[in-house]
Amino acid sequence: MIKLTCLVACVGFSAMPLVAQAQSYPVRSITVVVPFPAGGPSDVVARIVTERMGRTLGQQMVIENVGGAVGLTANAPAVIVARKDFPAENLSEFVAYLKENADKLKQAHGGIGASSHMACLLFNQALGIRPTSVAYRGTGPAMNDLVGGHVDFLCEQSVSVAEQIKAGTVKGYVVSANQRLATLPDIPSAKEGGINYQMSIWAGIFAPKGTPKEIIAKLAAALDKALDDPSVRERIAELGGSIPAKQERTPVSFARLVKAEIARWSPILKAASVTTN
């Protein structure tokens, strides 16, 4: 199962001495930087989780969306969605149409190196197609253009597209998993469609380098409590996501995952001749 990062959160600190700061933390609101526009999957997950964390910590956690290691927060498969008038009624027709017309189609994603971009690369590789890739500054703008019919299809995680699919503003064709999602029961899994396309996209929260261990522990405990909250789990599940097991949420386990993901994806990006500058 392939997992990718889709959320980076940086926690701000005051200028007081680190020891005193760690003991009294937090003494003011906490700034959480989401490096993607509002409305995207990173933003959605961040708002759900940090609202509950803020109640535990006794301070508001303020989201700052900036386009452009505490623990693991959520997992979600990717879903391939198309404009609502796309000329394919089911997955087999969709695959056949893509293979026949890929060079004429525009495939949208949330930006070079973003989780949706990785989802596109893997999907294209699985089908052996090379559609025109259209990069956006986040999922929100990409989805807007898909709904408006300016692009043909989009690769993105379920937490960002489930509600649009349910509303009928886009068509959902396949989930990058071995089984269907309970929240999107009508969309077939890649396994049922005979497509080698398994991918789970993860979200995580990071703190700045040098953050005192005591503060890391407080944040990790607040995150763990938030992820155990029934309302948080229910909301994530409604969007097609899932909460990681407790042993996967610790800062140490998360650090190992990040290191492994960098090693795994670097050669894939290089092979695709992808640049991020």
Side-chain angles (χ1 to χ4, degrees):
M1 186 68 75
I2 296 174
K3 299 180 181 179
L4 297 173
T5 183
C6 64
L7 167 65
V8 177
C10 297
V11 184
F13 301 103
S14 63
M16 71 172 71
L18 289 180
V19 174
Q21 184 174 325
Q23 293 174 344
S24 59
Y25 181 85
V27 295
R28 61 182 176 85
S29 62
I30 301 169
T31 298
V32 181
V33 177
V34 177
F36 301 100
S42 301
D43 182 65
V44 171
V45 174
R47 291 179 189 278
I48 293 172
V49 175
T50 58
E51 190 280 329
R52 183 63 182 82
M53 287 179 67
R55 281 189 275 151
T56 297
L57 293 168
Q59 290 288 348
Q60 183 180 12
M61 298 186 79
V62 181
I63 300 291
E64 276 191 14
N65 295 98
V66 181
V70 174
L72 189 61
T73 60
N75 296 313
V79 182
I80 306 301
V81 296
R83 51 185 167 82
K84 63 181 180 181
D85 60 347
F86 198 87
E89 295 303 318
N90 53 51
L91 178 56
S92 60
E93 289 184 11
F94 182 64
V95 170
Y97 192 91
L98 292 185
K99 290 185 175 181
E100 183 72 22
N101 302 280
D103 59 335
K104 305 171 187 175
L105 299 176
K106 295 180 180 178
Q107 179 186 58
H109 60 77
I112 300 297
S115 59
S116 57
H117 182 219
M118 303 297 125
C120 285
L121 289 179
L122 286 179
F123 184 68
N124 294 347
Q125 183 181 68
L127 295 188
I129 61 174
R130 294 182 66 88
T132 298
S133 179
V134 183
Y136 288 82
R137 291 187 176 181
T139 300
M143 179 59 79
N144 288 339
D145 268 12
L146 183 68
V147 172
H150 304 298
V151 290
D152 298 297
F153 67 111
L154 168 69
C155 318
E156 188 51 274
Q157 60 177 298
S158 58
V159 297
S160 188
V161 301
E163 293 185 346
Q164 293 283 10
I165 294 171
K166 293 176 182 178
T169 56
V170 298
K171 285 183 177 179
Y173 285 102
V174 64
V175 176
S176 65
N178 289 327
Q179 58 187 22
R180 298 191 182 203
L181 290 175
T183 190
L184 296 170
D186 297 328
I187 300 180
S189 68
K191 185 176 182 179
E192 339 175 14
I195 304 172
N196 183 23
Y197 185 52
Q198 283 74 45
M199 176 180 182
S200 179
I201 302 169
W202 55 260
I205 295 181
F206 297 78
K209 183 178 180 180
T211 300
K213 291 182 179 180
E214 294 84 356
I215 290 179
I216 292 292
K218 285 185 179 181
L219 291 170
L223 173 60
D224 199 46
K225 187 172 182 179
L227 296 180
D228 284 336
D229 186 285
S231 63
V232 171
R233 300 179 77 91
E234 181 179 358
R235 181 58 180 147
I236 295 294
E238 287 174 354
L239 296 172
S242 62
I243 302 298
K246 275 187 176 292
Q247 63 268 24
E248 297 177 355
R249 305 179 201 168
T250 67
V252 173
S253 294
F254 186 42
R256 285 199 297 263
L257 174 63
V258 172
K259 185 176 181 179
E261 291 296 86
I262 291 172
R264 172 182 290 162
W265 283 98
S266 293
I268 293 175
L269 288 170
K270 288 178 181 178
S273 299
V274 171
T275 57
T276 57
N277 53 359

